[in-house]
Amino acid sequence: MEAPKNKYYAGRRETFAVAPRVWGLKTIFVNLYFIANPDGSWVLVDAGVPGCTAKIRRAAGELFGDESRPRAILLTHGHFDHIGAVKDLAHEWDVPVYAHPMELPYLTGLSSYPPPDSSVGGGGMAYMAFAYPKKPINIKNYIELLPEDGSVPGLEGWRWLHTPGHTAGHVSFFREEDRVLVLGDAFTTRDAESALAVMTEKREVHGPPAYFTPDWAAAHHSVEILSELSPEVAASGHGMPMAGEELRRQLDDLVKNFWVKAVPSTGRYIHEPAITDERGVVSVPPPVGNPVPKIVAIAGAVALAGLALSVMGRRRAEKFGRKGKRPYSHNRVASGLPPTVEPKSDDPTGHTNNYP
């Protein structure tokens, strides 16, 4: 198969260039990525928010041709804003979906994710977190495990790294030859808690989205691992790609000051993590009160929906020529039983989806 011509340098209507043979696509407030091999074959990394199937299909057609389909779909993790179109696309393209084994419970209907914490972050995206979906999906007919040797199915010259914290099975993808990093939500390149930042897309390194991160010690270690790669380009799930010395300087600063810059001062998971294993969530700390009334969060949701409609309307106008107006040790931060497990009365191997 002949490689697509001038795809990195040519402008696309909806996709944005990241690096040679790597393109991104923004779906409302989160990015997904298309990565190609020199021969033109390609994979999709993550699958956006619910309702974006047609947008992804259209972007893939622009890049690779209407009849093209990927070798595989790769998931950095299974949060709702990264798997919105995965079931439809896996079925339509008839391709496997690869993920880390610690993500399987949330992709095969076995367990919900730990509940989001809308008390952290201090921004519109965080305040709305109580309403974000956390229930599992079931794509067991398509799901496959990433190879233990670190190779990436369907991609040449890339390897995957286990980068837990934001989720227990979160992974990132790295191309050695030019140090390109596709990192999901291991860290972000904009303030993921701020609804305003979604509009402005100011590029700066931040920690993982706080409202959906249940293990801060693991998250810190993962950022350290990625910083040690000295990436030349970083393409995150939230924020436009960053590159060069400024990226590395800010990433190094995040590592050194993680517990001040990234970790909230209060919150559900600050002092103890959610405990998970290969079957899903074992236990979570008790919830904390949200100081922001839910009516404010609802108003923020309405405003964000209005923003999305406005952007869609402006793009439509432009189109028609008008100006728009632990089995894994990372999961425990201390020795012994987690604080939420009482050995005399609780079953530490039990699982539940009923979290407040």
Side-chain angles (χ1 to χ4, degrees):
M1 179 179 179
E2 183 180 355
K5 298 179 180 179
N6 298 323
K7 293 296 186 179
Y8 175 59
Y9 301 100
R12 316 295 326 158
R13 186 178 63 208
E14 293 186 304
T15 57
F16 55 86
V18 175
R21 304 192 304 277
V22 182
W23 304 265
L25 176 69
K26 183 178 179 181
T27 62
I28 309 298
F29 62 91
V30 67
N31 302 323
L32 55 91
Y33 294 94
F34 303 89
I35 306 178
N37 290 301
D39 67 358
S41 60
W42 59 284
V43 302
L44 177 68
V45 179
D46 290 339
V49 298
C52 67
T53 302
K55 184 174 185 176
I56 296 173
R57 190 190 303 118
R58 184 169 59 248
E62 292 174 359
L63 290 169
F64 307 109
D66 292 335
E67 301 303 317
S68 179
R69 66 178 184 176
R71 286 184 172 181
I73 299 173
L74 313 174
L75 296 180
T76 61
H77 61 300
H79 278 159
F80 79 99
D81 52 342
H82 292 256
I83 51 85
V86 69
K87 184 179 291 188
D88 290 341
L89 292 175
H91 175 74
E92 179 178 330
W93 287 331
D94 191 25
V95 295
V97 179
Y98 287 90
H100 190 276
M102 290 291 282
E103 290 296 291
L104 290 191
Y106 319 108
L107 300 170
T108 57
L110 186 61
S111 174
S112 296
Y113 274 109
D117 185 0
S118 58
S119 72
V120 301
M125 299 302 293
Y127 295 151
M128 292 184 287
F130 74 92
Y132 296 156
K134 68 180 189 297
K135 296 296 184 182
I137 63 170
N138 190 343
I139 53 171
K140 63 174 59 177
N141 291 339
Y142 299 98
I143 198 72
E144 301 282 352
L145 295 181
L146 287 165
E148 294 183 359
D149 63 4
S151 62
V152 180
L155 277 186
E156 303 168 11
W158 290 75
R159 62 186 173 100
W160 68 267
L161 303 96
H162 188 203
T163 48
H166 187 61
T167 70
H170 190 286
V171 298
S172 303
F173 301 98
F174 186 64
R175 186 166 65 190
E176 299 276 2
E177 67 180 50
D178 52 0
R179 306 203 316 275
V180 175
L181 176 65
V182 177
L183 59 114
D185 291 356
F187 63 86
T188 63
T189 51
R190 72 157 185 259
D191 183 353
E193 286 73 55
S194 169
L196 179 61
V198 175
M199 295 180 279
T200 63
E201 288 288 8
K202 180 181 179 181
R203 302 184 197 210
E204 55 187 13
V205 172
H206 288 262
Y211 48 83
F212 244 146
T213 299
D215 190 334
W216 286 103
H220 184 199
H221 182 57
S222 293
V223 172
E224 288 181 314
I225 290 173
L226 296 180
S227 179
E228 290 171 358
L229 297 174
S230 189
E232 180 61 29
V233 177
S236 72
H238 299 270
M240 296 300 290
M242 292 182 63
E245 189 58 37
E246 183 63 17
L247 162 66
R248 292 187 288 274
R249 184 191 67 78
Q250 291 192 29
L251 186 54
D252 180 66
D253 183 64
L254 179 65
V255 171
K256 292 178 179 177
N257 299 287
F258 188 84
W259 292 90
V260 174
K261 291 195 167 188
V263 182
S265 57
T266 60
R268 186 170 194 167
Y269 304 106
I270 305 310
H271 301 294
E272 54 185 286
I275 304 301
T276 67
D277 63 16
E278 294 95 333
R279 294 173 56 207
V281 178
V282 177
S283 64
V284 296
V288 297
N290 186 350
V292 180
K294 286 190 175 181
I295 190 171
V296 175
I298 294 171
V302 172
L304 189 60
L307 170 64
L309 290 173
S310 174
V311 171
M312 291 172 62
R314 185 166 65 250
R315 287 179 177 174
R316 189 176 295 111
E318 291 172 352
K319 179 178 179 181
F320 291 100
R322 299 187 301 271
K323 291 184 178 179
K325 294 183 173 178
R326 180 135 44 173
Y328 293 109
S329 61
H330 75 267
N331 206 220
R332 298 178 186 268
V333 297
S335 60
L337 289 171
T340 50
V341 177
E342 169 53 50
K344 293 182 179 180
S345 58
D346 292 344
D347 177 9
T349 65
H351 297 72
T352 178
N353 290 336
N354 301 316
Y355 301 118

